[in-house]
Amino acid sequence: MSQNINGQNLMAEQTELLRKQARLIKIQTAIFSAFMFIIAVVLLILCTKLNGIISEANSAISQISGLTEQLSAVLEESNLTELLTNANNLIEEGGKSLTEALSGVDEALKKIDSINIDDLNEAITDLKNVVGPLAKLFGKK
């Protein structure tokens, strides 16, 4: 009989432990379900925001594509190579003209330097001496 009582006690303990274990499993399942629900809600929110971002990115890409096409058309119309070639030719012609002008100035300076100032002053004095008496003759001072 004592074995029977011990067996019954053991069975009662095992039954109680199984009930506690079942209750813990139910709690774990509830917590796991709550976490899964929260994760699902967060993923749904992130997917919605990500969809909006992707939509905005596609819009920006299409606008950039349009601007690129317009810029390409403008560059084709302006014929940038020809414009740069013309500017280069203009700069070369300006350089040649400046060189010619500086050459003329250099020649003029050489002629001025070749003038003997002393001889010029002497010639002016001689002219003054000759013209002075003629001026007095005609009544000028």
Side-chain angles (χ1 to χ4, degrees), residues 17 34 51 56 60 93 97 105 118 122 125 129 138:
L17 286 174
N51 190 22
E56 289 176 13
E93 288 177 15
S97 297
V105 169
D118 293 332
E122 187 179 326
T125 304
N129 290 338
F138 290 109

Side-chain angles (χ1 to χ4, degrees), residues 13 16 53 97 114 122 128 133 136 140-141:
E13 283 180 28
E16 185 62 29
I53 291 171
S97 297
S114 69
E122 187 179 326
K128 181 179 173 186
K136 287 180 184 177
K140 297 208 177 187
K141 293 183 180 181

Side-chain angles (χ1 to χ4, degrees), residues 44-63:
L44 181 65
I45 291 170
L46 288 177
C47 285
T48 304
K49 288 185 178 183
L50 186 60
N51 190 22
I53 291 171
I54 289 172
S55 174
E56 289 176 13
N58 284 337
S59 174
I61 288 171
S62 67
Q63 288 177 353

Side-chain angles (χ1 to χ4, degrees), residues 121-140:
N121 284 337
E122 187 179 326
I124 292 172
T125 304
D126 290 343
L127 182 62
K128 181 179 173 186
N129 290 338
V130 170
V131 173
L134 287 175
K136 287 180 184 177
L137 183 66
F138 290 109
K140 297 208 177 187

Side-chain angles (χ1 to χ4, degrees), residues 31-109:
I31 291 172
F32 180 73
S33 297
F35 279 134
M36 290 304 289
F37 178 76
I38 290 171
I39 289 173
V41 168
V42 168
L43 284 176
L44 181 65
I45 291 170
L46 288 177
C47 285
T48 304
K49 288 185 178 183
L50 186 60
N51 190 22
I53 291 171
I54 289 172
S55 174
E56 289 176 13
N58 284 337
S59 174
I61 288 171
S62 67
Q63 288 177 353
I64 290 172
S65 176
L67 289 174
T68 304
E69 289 174 5
Q70 289 176 354
L71 181 60
S72 177
V74 167
L75 287 175
E76 286 178 10
E77 288 176 9
S78 68
N79 198 359
L80 190 59
T81 306
E82 184 179 333
L83 183 65
L84 291 176
T85 302
N86 289 341
N88 192 29
N89 290 340
L90 182 63
I91 291 170
E92 286 177 5
E93 288 177 15
K96 288 177 185 176
S97 297
L98 184 60
T99 303
E100 290 173 6
L102 289 176
S103 175
V105 169
D106 189 42
E107 288 178 25
L109 286 175

